[in-house]
Structure formats: structure tokens, C-alpha cells
Amino acid sequence: MPDEKFLEKLKSYGEANNIPNISRENAQFLRSLIQENWYQKALEIGTANAYSTIHFALELEKVSWSITTIEFSQAAYEMAQDNIEDSDLKNITQYFWDARDIIPHLEESYDFIFIDGLKKASLSFLLIVWGKVSPWGIIIIDDVIKFRYKMENLYEYLSTHEIKYTIEHIDSDDGIMIIKK
């Protein structure tokens, strides 16, 4: 079972090697969100080194749970695979490829979807997961403040289709978007 030292090692390695992990504040906020809402099935787009994956899994394991995570970078996928194996967490399914090609073939629905992949593809990711989120579920999109300029089509789509969302400014330089279906 991974502990805080394990997670801190992943985070420190990520910072030293420019791996785009979520912030510590963001990780704690999202863990609280998972815990408060008893989410059980998670989907993550953008695994990086599995720092966020393992954070989510630590909350999800408190209930009947599973997490599916998808990574496009071969190097990141392999690093995440090693870190997930070292964590001894068993209900994590990991895929390597473009999430837009994999998600249509997934038969499950998810109550917690975390989008932290290629920022300019955020709208594509949202559209592909929309039918996979359970009626009580949420979609979280990371880095929506500092990378808004890469996501203008996402903001335009949400406005045009009158899809409500909130933005939580969690850490010092960025925040997340929360969309409830």
C-alpha cells in the first residue's frame, strides 16, 4: 500500500523531470471530492507517472472500486506501469494509446472522470467521455486557467450548448473545471 512517502517520491521525481503531475493541493481536493461522494469507478485521461492515479485509487479503494487510466506517451505509460506495480494497488486498468481511440470501446460508465491530457484536445476528450459518465457523475478538466488559450473551443462549446460548469481555483497558478452531468 503506497504511503505519503511513496507519493512524495513520485511528485518530487515529476518536478525534477518536468512530468506534468497535478499539484499536491489539487490531489488533496480531488481525493476529498471522491471521498465525499463515494465515487467508485474512475476514468483518467493522462496518466503521466501515475501520481494522480495512485492518489485517486487510495480513496477509491475504500469502496468497491476501479480506475481506468489512459496514457499516450510510451515513456510515461511505462513509468506509470512500474509505479502502479510498485504501489500494489490491484484495481487499476492501464491503457497505452490515444484516449479518443480507446474510450469508444470501453463498455463501463464512470462516476468520476479526470481529463488531464493534451490541452488542445480537451473538447475532443469531453465529447468522447460524455456518454460514459454516469447520471450522478462528474467530469473534471485540469489546468483550465493557465491553459485556457489552448481550450478556447472547449469554452465556446460549453457556452453554445449551455453546459454548466464551475471553476475551482485550487493552487496558486491554476484550477480545475467541474462539470456535473
Side-chain angles (χ1 to χ4, degrees), residues 121-140:
S122 293
L123 176 57
S124 297
F125 294 142
L126 175 67
L127 295 174
I128 205 81
V129 302
W130 193 258
K132 300 290 182 182
V133 65
S134 62
W136 58 87
I138 63 169
I139 300 169
I140 308 288

Side-chain angles (χ1 to χ4, degrees), residues 17-49:
N17 292 281
N18 281 338
I19 295 171
N21 288 319
I22 62 175
S23 69
R24 290 169 182 86
E25 298 85 5
N26 197 346
Q28 291 307 313
F29 177 85
L30 293 172
R31 283 180 72 166
S32 295
L33 195 61
I34 291 168
Q35 182 182 44
E36 291 166 8
N37 292 283
W38 293 85
Y39 294 129
Q40 297 179 13
K41 290 192 176 283
L43 173 64
E44 176 184 47
I45 299 172
T47 315
N49 67 348

